Each structure stands twice: as C-alpha cells, then as structure tokens.
Amino acid sequence: MVQHSESPAESTGFTGGATSGYRWVVWGVLILAYLVVFFHRLALGVVRDDLTLAFGINATTFSNLGATYFYAYTLMQIPSGILADSLGARKTVTYGTLMAACGSLLFGLSPSIGWAFAGRLLVGIGVSVVLIAILKILSQWFPEDQFATMSGLTAFMGNVGGMLAQTPLALMVVWFTWRSTFAGIGIASLFIALLCYVLVRNTPQEMGLPAVGISSSTAHSRPISREALSRGLAAAMKNPGTWPGFFVFMGMFGTYVAMTGAWGNSYLREVFGFSATKASNHLMLAILGHALGCIFIGKLSDQMKRRRRPMALFTLIHVISWALLLFWKGGTVPVWLLPPLLFMLGFSSSAVILSWSCSKEVNDPAIAGIATSIVNMGGFVGAAFLPVILGSIIDRYGHLLEAADLYHRAFLFCLAFAVLSLVGSLLVKETHCRNIYHQIHTSAQSGASTDLKP
C-alpha cells in the first residue's frame, strides 16, 4: 500500500500530494488510448481513394464502412457505462484497447471488403469503452468543480489523435501504404493496453490515497451491484434532464464527423480542386479548432458556474457557421474564407463536452458512467447516420449535379442537425457546475429506490 502524508486540502487540488501527482499518471496513460480512439474515428476520409481502389467500393459502401465504427460505438455506450461502473476503468480500457488493436491489424491486412468491415467493427467495439472510462476516472480522481475543465483537456488530447489522422496519416500512407499504417497502429495499441493494465487504478483508495471527487463526498467508492446498476440505468433513462444533452451531442458531433472524418476531404478536393494533402491541412484547422474549443469552453463553463448559457451560445455559432458555408453569395464560399470557417465549425462543435457534465450533474453520482454513456450515445448516433445520409445523396445525385450543388444538397442535412443541437441546448437544466440529483429528488421521493447502494 502506498504511504502518504498529505492533508485533505492538499489532496483536492491540481498540485501537491501523492493523489494529485499520480492522478496525472492515470489520466496520461488513458489519454494514449484515447489518441487511438480519435485516430480511427477520423482516418477513413483520408484513405477513401485507397480503399476504393483496393476493394472497388462506391460512396454508400464507403460511408457504411466508416459508419460501422460508429454503429458499434453507439450500441456499446450503455454497456460501456455499466462496465466503467462495475468492472472499473482499468480493466475496461485494457480489454477494449486489446480488441481495437486486433481490429486495426485485421483492417490493415484484410483481403476483401468483408474482412475490412470485420476489422472496423472490432475497432469500434474496442475503442467505444475508452471515453466513458476516462470520465469515470475524472469523477474519482479530480475535484467535481474541475470536471468540465478536465473533460475539455481530455477532448483536446483526443483531437491530437484526430490531427494524426489527417496530414500525418496522408504522409504515412504515401510512405508505408495504408495497410502497413493501420497494422502499425494495431501494434502500438497492444503496448498501450499493457500500460493501462500496469499503471491505471480505478480510485485513489486502491493505492491507499485519500478519496477525491465524487467518492470523497459519497459512499460510492466501490463498484455497485448488478441490481443497483439496473435501477440506475432505468433511473437515468427516465430522467428528463439526461436527454437534452443527448440531442446536443447527436447534432453537433454528427456534423463534425461528417466534415472531418467522412466527406470533408472529398468536398474540398472536388469543389475547390485541392490536393489530398491540402484538403487534409484545411480539415486539421477544424480539428484544431475543436481541440482548442474543448479546453476553452470547459474552463469557461467551470469559471462561469454555468452549463446552459455557454452551450447555447456555441451551438448558435455552430448553426451560423454551417449557414455561412451553405448560403454565402453564389452558394460557394471563397477560398480565403474556408480556413477561419472550418476552424469555427470545429471550435463551436466542442460545446458537446458540456453534455457530459450536464448529464452527470442531474443523475445519481454512483452511476456517473451510465449517465454520461447515454449522452455519449447520442453523439455516435449522429456520427453513424449523418455521413451515410450524405453518402446516399452523393450516390443518388452525383451524376446529375455539379460538385458544388451536390455537396450543398448533402450538407443541408448537416445544417438541420446543427439546428437540432441548438434546440437541445435551450432545454438543458442549469446545474451551476455541481451535482443536483439529491437536491431535486429529496423532497419528491425521499428514500426512493433510485438511491443506489454499493
């Protein structure tokens, strides 16, 4: 057991004490796994031509190949929450990253499109557990009033993985081929899984350190029972405060992935005549914007002690950004406007990180993993289906319309999803950055069965 001499005050800050020191080791190792998550999430748009040549697929099949990741991710969100709350983040991320490693190797070595789908499916299942496990770790290792800040920093680091899936991936494909690149990512993932198992711990108490975050103010420092998990899932699903964040995440994350991970590269090449590398460089601006926005919006929300107001502001900016892209004079934005517009699309979309806080803060602290997983599922519903909708439109009208008109028609659905996120943000319950579950339930159902026991 690790010995320590820190005071309770020291254990709740970002610096000082054994707890605050080791929390960064735990978080840092999990971030390595999260880099892999984002790499796979946004990689396919860059290698579309290579996949088309290798397997002879059309736009719809390509969209479905990319969406397979998101189908698996979506279906695994609630199981991910249950695993994080019961099995614990350490084993959950270790096993998930191992599965993702096998999927990446299979994808890179696939002899046919069927095997590529199988590899993509394994990757989606494997990486689906990582984010929810990290959010669970944040709720245990960091003070509650720093949750949005740390969520933003986590999302920022994940987007570094997304940046690797743009220009660096395009260069690696040229140097090593797409098959060798994905196989190499699989081998690196095996090493990351080993680090997770050796270094990550679910709570400070497992190392003999003082409790922090949720576990410092509640009795829920141990995995809860299966029956309690079932009750918790039902309670979170029935809680109306859970769902506005679901639709915010679905709308904005769907549009972000449609642009940066599926069709943005093709859009920039076919409408503006960019090379693959130049298109990737432009999309990196959107990913950089999203990464920086995650840090800025998370910190802003914690400092304002508000959730709904910053979320509504940035979802409105997101809607305006899409409207400018679609309805600029003449229907096509000038090339000089693309960089700032793509950056703002990414920056504003980062408001989705507040959805995790909003969901966590209106549900029982014992089911933080389940509550955030429901909201997270919304994002991947959007990311799974919106690119497929765009692909079907491109296949249907590609031979009838010019490229600019074709993408204008397809991207109208992105604008519609952005408006949906704006509506959702206006319905979010303000929590003032603290968990209000017991506050809003005590008078109505004191001692009700939704209170969970370890």
Side-chain angles (χ1 to χ4, degrees):
M1 181 176 294
V2 177
Q3 301 296 318
H4 60 88
S5 58
E6 67 180 304
S7 67
E10 288 175 323
S11 71
T12 57
F14 271 98
T15 61
T19 302
S20 59
Y22 199 75
R23 71 178 58 151
W24 295 107
V25 175
V26 173
W27 180 80
V29 171
L30 292 175
I31 286 301
L32 292 177
Y34 200 39
L35 293 177
V36 175
V37 174
F38 259 78
F39 176 87
H40 286 293
R41 185 175 297 169
L42 303 180
L44 251 60
V46 174
V47 296
R48 180 195 171 193
D49 290 345
D50 300 277
L51 296 174
T52 300
L53 181 63
F55 301 121
I57 56 177
N58 60 19
T60 300
T61 302
F62 167 76
S63 295
N64 280 313
L65 180 62
T68 299
Y69 169 105
F70 295 105
Y71 295 146
Y73 207 110
T74 301
L75 293 174
M76 280 295 297
Q77 284 313 284
I78 290 177
S80 295
I82 293 173
L83 289 170
D85 287 332
S86 57
L87 185 63
R90 177 196 180 206
K91 291 183 179 179
T92 298
V93 176
T94 297
Y95 300 152
T97 305
L98 280 173
M99 182 175 289
C102 294
S104 188
L105 285 165
L106 179 58
F107 185 83
L109 302 174
S110 54
S112 66
I113 188 62
W115 286 104
F117 269 99
R120 187 75 171 163
L121 179 65
L122 283 177
V123 167
I125 295 172
V127 302
S128 67
V129 303
V130 175
L131 176 60
I132 299 303
I134 294 178
L135 296 178
K136 182 70 175 183
I137 286 290
L138 296 183
S139 74
Q140 298 290 339
W141 280 88
F142 290 85
E144 190 171 12
D145 61 359
Q146 295 166 356
F147 185 85
T149 299
M150 287 305 303
S151 297
L153 185 58
T154 297
F156 171 83
M157 294 304 299
N159 276 276
V160 171
M163 293 179 197
L164 294 176
Q166 295 301 320
T167 303
L169 174 60
L171 294 174
M172 284 190 290
V173 168
V174 171
W175 294 336
F176 305 113
T177 77
W178 70 272
R179 292 185 180 275
S180 297
T181 299
F182 278 91
I185 294 297
I187 294 171
S189 299
L190 293 173
F191 177 70
I192 294 172
L194 177 62
L195 287 179
C196 289
Y197 188 79
V198 172
L199 297 177
V200 172
R201 293 298 181 269
N202 298 317
T203 66
Q205 298 96 302
E206 290 186 6
M207 300 186 65
L209 299 172
V212 182
I214 286 177
S215 62
S216 67
S217 58
T218 74
H220 304 300
S221 60
R222 293 180 283 115
I224 59 180
S225 67
R226 183 179 301 178
E227 294 76 11
L229 285 169
S230 298
R231 292 197 305 272
L233 174 59
M237 295 285 284
K238 292 177 182 178
N239 186 345
T242 302
W243 294 101
F246 177 96
F247 290 104
V248 172
F249 215 141
M250 183 175 76
M252 283 210 287
F253 195 66
T255 62
Y256 174 71
V257 170
M259 175 60 77
T260 60
W263 292 107
N265 196 283
S266 299
Y267 164 69
L268 294 173
R269 284 186 289 147
E270 294 173 20
V271 175
F272 296 95
F274 289 177
S275 66
T277 301
K278 186 175 181 179
S280 296
N281 286 337
H282 275 69
L283 291 179
M284 281 185 68
L285 291 172
I287 299 170
L288 177 63
H290 187 85
L292 295 176
C294 287
I295 294 180
F296 176 81
I297 294 172
K299 188 67 173 179
L300 176 67
S301 176
D302 281 341
Q303 289 184 336
M304 291 176 62
K305 301 298 181 185
R306 295 287 189 277
R307 299 301 189 207
R308 181 170 57 198
R309 190 176 300 172
M311 180 184 285
L313 172 62
F314 285 98
T315 50
L316 176 61
I317 293 173
H318 194 68
V319 170
I320 293 172
S321 299
W322 273 106
L324 287 174
L325 185 69
L326 289 170
F327 300 113
W328 189 266
K329 299 176 183 179
T332 303
V333 297
V335 173
W336 64 264
L337 186 59
L338 277 173
L341 193 54
L342 288 170
F343 179 88
M344 189 52 62
L345 278 172
F347 189 89
S348 58
S349 69
S350 62
V352 298
I353 68 164
L354 298 182
S355 300
W356 302 326
S357 298
C358 293
S359 176
K360 180 182 73 74
E361 290 163 358
V362 297
N363 282 286
D364 193 299
I367 55 166
I370 291 174
T372 52
S373 71
I374 294 172
V375 166
N376 211 43
M377 183 170 63
F380 295 95
V381 169
F385 289 103
L386 184 56
V388 174
I389 293 172
L390 270 56
S392 64
I393 292 172
I394 290 169
D395 271 343
R396 183 174 182 179
Y397 298 103
H399 64 291
L400 299 175
L401 300 174
E402 295 292 331
D405 294 331
L406 177 64
Y407 281 96
H408 177 88
R409 177 171 296 195
F411 284 161
L412 284 172
F413 284 89
C414 292
L415 179 61
F417 270 57
V419 171
L420 175 65
S421 69
L422 176 59
V423 173
S425 72
L426 298 175
L427 299 176
V428 164
K429 187 172 185 64
E430 183 57 69
T431 64
H432 298 283
C433 303
R434 67 185 190 278
N435 190 285
I436 61 173
Y437 173 79
H438 293 294
Q439 174 186 324
I440 62 180
H441 284 78
T442 297
S443 59
Q445 50 185 27
S446 179
S449 61
T450 51
D451 289 339
L452 305 180
K453 305 296 182 183

